[in-house]
């Protein structure tokens, strides 16, 4: 290869990498921020049944007859 082809190839790689990085940053700026309990199957809710309104966070295992069962991060359920 001659010297001009190598320089052009390097320029294309640098411009492509810059465009990729810029696109990733733009995408991050356009996404709404996630609030606790949103996304990734998470769950957060305030219960008023004697638990002092503490938030519960984990994976919902079941939801039937007005009872919600949540698997906590430590493996226990509430």
């Amino acid at each position: 290869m001659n010297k001009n082809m190598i320089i052009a190839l390097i320029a294309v790689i640098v411009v492509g990498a810059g465009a990729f990085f810029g696109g990733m940053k733009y995408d991050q700026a356009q996404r709404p921020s996630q609030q606790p309990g949103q996304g990734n199957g998470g769950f957060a809710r305030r219960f008023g049944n004697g638990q002092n309104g503490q938030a519960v966070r984990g994976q919902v295992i079941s939801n039937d007859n007005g009872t919600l069962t949540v698997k906590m991060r430590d493996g226990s359920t509430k």
Side-chain angles (χ1 to χ4, degrees):
M1 283 190 182
N2 72 27
K3 192 174 185 177
N4 289 338
M5 291 287 286
I6 293 173
I7 291 173
L9 182 60
I10 291 172
V12 167
I13 292 171
V14 168
V15 169
F20 178 78
F21 180 76
M24 295 293 289
K25 287 298 182 182
Y26 177 79
D27 184 52
Q28 288 175 351
Q30 298 304 311
R31 289 186 199 166
S33 64
Q34 288 190 347
Q35 298 298 319
Q38 291 181 339
N40 300 329
F43 180 79
R45 181 175 178 174
R46 302 228 178 250
F47 291 93
N49 59 353
Q51 296 182 10
N52 299 324
Q54 295 176 348
V56 175
R57 186 173 205 162
Q59 181 181 7
V60 176
I61 296 174
S62 68
N63 181 12
D64 43 69
N65 297 330
T67 302
L68 185 66
T69 305
V70 179
K71 181 177 179 182
M72 309 302 288
R73 290 182 178 178
D74 63 3
S76 65
T77 59
K78 283 194 176 196

